[in-house]
């Protein structure tokens, strides 16, 4: 063991001549531990909420969404749907239409989006899982067209799914130069019967209604056109075992498989189409979540810096307390560089010990919350989850430990350098 680290370790563990220095040292360790605990726990809570939001987005979003780089629509006559369906790992390829419309139910109106999907959309288990009052749904049945609004849209329109013959009237602007003076000349309109409601992310719930693709194609006057083509990838279990169990379908595809399929689709389609994964489809939302996590990390880092002031005070008092030891070391031939190293290592040991204690307690608290849900989300209420979600990421543990080490090293170096130099000046003046 190197001499500076050995002496620093002895100073940390040994009893000082003044009991106050011991107390301040342990206060420093506790303060750093608390700040470290707060960092790892709060960052894990952010990870948990990010996972919840990501899972909610995953429920109703395709694994890959294809849209035209120029214009709004895709010509299905020219689009190679069959080639995409033949790609290894692709489960479904669905053309869809998404259009801004006006919804009306009796005297209530709401602007939102209607999404036309084929009837086979109900084969996707994770989409069926969003339906509140049933595990299945159909957009058409025996020639009847059904609409499935989000929970927020249903609330805005005053829709009661348990009331027989609940309907939504949909108004879509006519294509071309339609007259704006007469409602019947400016809009195409039709009705949808509502028997189901879906619930996922709030933003989607409040603006979207699922409807039959052919019905919406006729209403919007899109002849053999679509606004998007959605690609659903086989889950991890399906690709490994070729099983189609409900549990397997609810799993997300492997990132490597997804990226490989995405590249293959791009090579088939060329530059005329955009191929976006779920992150790219919700890029703004994911960037906002990352920015929020970064802001919280910076705030907690500032708190950690404040906690190191206790360590600076403890180290300064220790240097004063060990003046005789410093004089003895100098008499034995030690230079200022060695003396500084001793106290820099001392400050670093205080930071690292406090950091490790905080990390261990924080990791234990995260695991307890993850498995037992001790901290609840209020007393009752309509929450998607009952307890605060947490997710421990090794990258966060490493980041927090590196942050503690850097802050502790900087504070120790500054304190040791200034204090030792000041003591040397005092010693020279005394001579």
């Amino acid at each position: 063991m190197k001499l500076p680290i050995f002496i620093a370790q002895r100073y940390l563990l040994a009893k000082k001549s003044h009991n106050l220095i011991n107390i301040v040292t342990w206060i420093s360790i506790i303060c750093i531990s608390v700040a470290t605990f707060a960092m790892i726990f709060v960052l894990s809570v952010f990870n948990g909420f990010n996972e919840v939001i990501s899972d909610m987005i995953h429920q109703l979003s395709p694994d890959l969404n294809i849209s035209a780089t120029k214009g709004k629509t895709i010509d299905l006559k020219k689009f190679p749907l069959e080639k995409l369906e033949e790609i290894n790992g692709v489960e479904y390829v669905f053309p869809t239409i998404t259009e801004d419309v006006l919804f009306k139910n009796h005297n209530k109106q709401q602007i939102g989006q209607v999404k036309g999907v084929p009837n086979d959309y109900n084969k996707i288990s994770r989409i069926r899982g969003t339906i509140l009052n049933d595990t299945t749904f159909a957009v058409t049945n025996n020639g009847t067209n059904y609409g499935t609004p989000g929970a927020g849209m249903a609330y805005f329109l005053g829709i009661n799914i348990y009331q027989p013959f609940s309907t939504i009237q949909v108004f879509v602007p006519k294509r071309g130069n339609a007259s704006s003076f007469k409602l019947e000349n400016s809009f195409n309109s039709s009705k949808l019967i509502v028997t189901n409601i879906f619930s996922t992310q709030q933003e989607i719930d409040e603006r979207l209604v699922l409807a039959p693709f052919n019905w919406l194609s006729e209403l919007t006057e899109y002849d053999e056109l679509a606004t998007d083509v959605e690609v659903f990838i086989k889950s991890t279990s399906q690709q490994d075992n070729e099983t189609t169990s409900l549990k397997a379908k609810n799993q997300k595809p492997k990132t490597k498989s997804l990226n490989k399929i995405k590249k293959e689709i791009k090579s088939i389609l060329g530059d005329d189409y955009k191929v976006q994964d779920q992150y790219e489809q919700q890029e703004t939302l994911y960037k906002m979540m990352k920015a929020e996590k970064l802001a919280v990390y910076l705030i907690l880092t500032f708190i950690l810096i404040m906690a190191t002031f206790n360590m600076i005070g403890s180290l300064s008092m220790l240097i004063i307390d060990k003046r005789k030891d410093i004089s003895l070391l100098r008499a034995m031939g030690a230079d200022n560089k060695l003396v500084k190293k001793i106290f820099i290592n001392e400050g670093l040991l205080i930071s690292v010990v406090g950091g490790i204690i905080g990390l261990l307690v924080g990791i234990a608290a995260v695991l307890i919350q993850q498995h037992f849900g001790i901290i609840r989300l209020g007393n009752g209420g309509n929450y998607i989850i009952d307890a605060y979600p947490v997710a421990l990421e090794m990258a966060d543990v490493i980041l927090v430990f590196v942050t503690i080490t850097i802050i502790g090293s900087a504070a120790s170096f500054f304190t040791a350098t200034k204090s030792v130099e000041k003591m040397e000046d005092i010693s020279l003046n005394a001579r």
Side-chain angles (χ1 to χ4, degrees), residues 61-74:
S61 298
D63 297 311
L64 296 171
N65 188 78
I66 302 168
S67 58
T69 53
K70 294 180 181 179
K72 181 180 178 181
T73 58
I74 296 171

mmCIF file of all heavy atoms in Angstrom, residues 61-74:
data_model
loop_
_atom_site.group_PDB
_atom_site.id
_atom_site.type_symbol
_atom_site.label_atom_id
_atom_site.label_comp_id
_atom_site.label_asym_id
_atom_site.label_seq_id
_atom_site.Cartn_x
_atom_site.Cartn_y
_atom_site.Cartn_z
ATOM 1 N N SER A 61 -48.472 2.006 -30.330
ATOM 2 C CA SER A 61 -47.609 2.471 -31.410
ATOM 3 C C SER A 61 -46.985 1.273 -32.125
ATOM 4 O O SER A 61 -46.623 0.289 -31.487
ATOM 5 C CB SER A 61 -46.485 3.365 -30.864
ATOM 6 O OG SER A 61 -47.021 4.518 -30.252
ATOM 7 N N PRO A 62 -46.845 1.356 -33.437
ATOM 8 C CA PRO A 62 -46.177 0.259 -34.161
ATOM 9 C C PRO A 62 -44.693 0.246 -33.843
ATOM 10 O O PRO A 62 -44.112 1.268 -33.451
ATOM 11 C CB PRO A 62 -46.430 0.619 -35.624
ATOM 12 C CG PRO A 62 -46.561 2.109 -35.636
ATOM 13 C CD PRO A 62 -47.247 2.460 -34.341
ATOM 14 N N ASP A 63 -44.063 -0.905 -34.019
ATOM 15 C CA ASP A 63 -42.623 -0.986 -33.805
ATOM 16 C C ASP A 63 -41.880 -0.126 -34.820
ATOM 17 O O ASP A 63 -40.882 0.514 -34.487
ATOM 18 C CB ASP A 63 -42.153 -2.442 -33.904
ATOM 19 C CG ASP A 63 -42.782 -3.301 -32.826
ATOM 20 O OD1 ASP A 63 -42.747 -2.893 -31.659
ATOM 21 O OD2 ASP A 63 -43.314 -4.371 -33.154
ATOM 22 N N LEU A 64 -42.385 -0.095 -36.046
ATOM 23 C CA LEU A 64 -41.823 0.751 -37.098
ATOM 24 C C LEU A 64 -42.972 1.408 -37.849
ATOM 25 O O LEU A 64 -43.965 0.740 -38.182
ATOM 26 C CB LEU A 64 -40.968 -0.062 -38.077
ATOM 27 C CG LEU A 64 -39.696 -0.713 -37.513
ATOM 28 C CD1 LEU A 64 -39.086 -1.657 -38.547
ATOM 29 C CD2 LEU A 64 -38.679 0.345 -37.097
ATOM 30 N N ASN A 65 -42.848 2.698 -38.084
ATOM 31 C CA ASN A 65 -43.879 3.430 -38.831
ATOM 32 C C ASN A 65 -43.261 3.985 -40.112
ATOM 33 O O ASN A 65 -42.222 4.638 -40.090
ATOM 34 C CB ASN A 65 -44.440 4.574 -37.990
ATOM 35 C CG ASN A 65 -45.638 5.223 -38.656
ATOM 36 O OD1 ASN A 65 -46.743 4.695 -38.619
ATOM 37 N ND2 ASN A 65 -45.441 6.377 -39.275
ATOM 38 N N ILE A 66 -43.925 3.709 -41.239
ATOM 39 C CA ILE A 66 -43.430 4.149 -42.550
ATOM 40 C C ILE A 66 -44.333 5.256 -43.073
ATOM 41 O O ILE A 66 -45.567 5.102 -43.087
ATOM 42 C CB ILE A 66 -43.404 2.974 -43.547
ATOM 43 C CG1 ILE A 66 -42.525 1.837 -43.007
ATOM 44 C CG2 ILE A 66 -42.902 3.435 -44.914
ATOM 45 C CD1 ILE A 66 -42.664 0.543 -43.780
ATOM 46 N N SER A 67 -43.741 6.358 -43.491
ATOM 47 C CA SER A 67 -44.489 7.466 -44.079
ATOM 48 C C SER A 67 -43.706 8.019 -45.261
ATOM 49 O O SER A 67 -42.514 7.757 -45.414
ATOM 50 C CB SER A 67 -44.744 8.564 -43.038
ATOM 51 O OG SER A 67 -43.517 9.037 -42.508
ATOM 52 N N ALA A 68 -44.390 8.785 -46.093
ATOM 53 C CA ALA A 68 -43.756 9.349 -47.289
ATOM 54 C C ALA A 68 -42.878 10.533 -46.900
ATOM 55 O O ALA A 68 -43.235 11.324 -46.025
ATOM 56 C CB ALA A 68 -44.815 9.789 -48.293
ATOM 57 N N THR A 69 -41.708 10.645 -47.520
ATOM 58 C CA THR A 69 -40.836 11.794 -47.254
ATOM 59 C C THR A 69 -41.381 13.056 -47.908
ATOM 60 O O THR A 69 -41.172 14.157 -47.417
ATOM 61 C CB THR A 69 -39.414 11.515 -47.785
ATOM 62 O OG1 THR A 69 -39.502 11.122 -49.164
ATOM 63 C CG2 THR A 69 -38.740 10.427 -46.995
ATOM 64 N N LYS A 70 -42.101 12.893 -49.034
ATOM 65 C CA LYS A 70 -42.719 14.027 -49.719
ATOM 66 C C LYS A 70 -44.219 13.778 -49.814
ATOM 67 O O LYS A 70 -44.655 12.704 -50.234
ATOM 68 C CB LYS A 70 -42.131 14.197 -51.124
ATOM 69 C CG LYS A 70 -40.653 14.588 -51.124
ATOM 70 C CD LYS A 70 -40.139 14.749 -52.550
ATOM 71 C CE LYS A 70 -38.658 15.122 -52.551
ATOM 72 N NZ LYS A 70 -38.131 15.259 -53.943
ATOM 73 N N GLY A 71 -44.976 14.783 -49.421
ATOM 74 C CA GLY A 71 -46.417 14.621 -49.451
ATOM 75 C C GLY A 71 -46.926 13.922 -48.207
ATOM 76 O O GLY A 71 -46.174 13.556 -47.302
ATOM 77 N N LYS A 72 -48.240 13.698 -48.191
ATOM 78 C CA LYS A 72 -48.896 13.157 -47.004
ATOM 79 C C LYS A 72 -49.263 11.687 -47.144
ATOM 80 O O LYS A 72 -49.355 10.963 -46.154
ATOM 81 C CB LYS A 72 -50.154 13.985 -46.721
ATOM 82 C CG LYS A 72 -50.940 13.577 -45.502
ATOM 83 C CD LYS A 72 -52.161 14.451 -45.323
ATOM 84 C CE LYS A 72 -52.983 14.022 -44.116
ATOM 85 N NZ LYS A 72 -54.185 14.860 -43.952
ATOM 86 N N THR A 73 -49.481 11.239 -48.381
ATOM 87 C CA THR A 73 -50.047 9.911 -48.584
ATOM 88 C C THR A 73 -49.070 8.954 -49.266
ATOM 89 O O THR A 73 -48.106 9.366 -49.905
ATOM 90 C CB THR A 73 -51.331 10.002 -49.434
ATOM 91 O OG1 THR A 73 -51.022 10.628 -50.685
ATOM 92 C CG2 THR A 73 -52.399 10.811 -48.711
ATOM 93 N N ILE A 74 -49.379 7.661 -49.109
ATOM 94 C CA ILE A 74 -48.631 6.578 -49.741
ATOM 95 C C ILE A 74 -49.562 5.875 -50.724
ATOM 96 O O ILE A 74 -50.688 5.491 -50.362
ATOM 97 C CB ILE A 74 -48.133 5.572 -48.685
ATOM 98 C CG1 ILE A 74 -47.151 6.243 -47.728
ATOM 99 C CG2 ILE A 74 -47.495 4.362 -49.337
ATOM 100 C CD1 ILE A 74 -46.772 5.383 -46.538
#
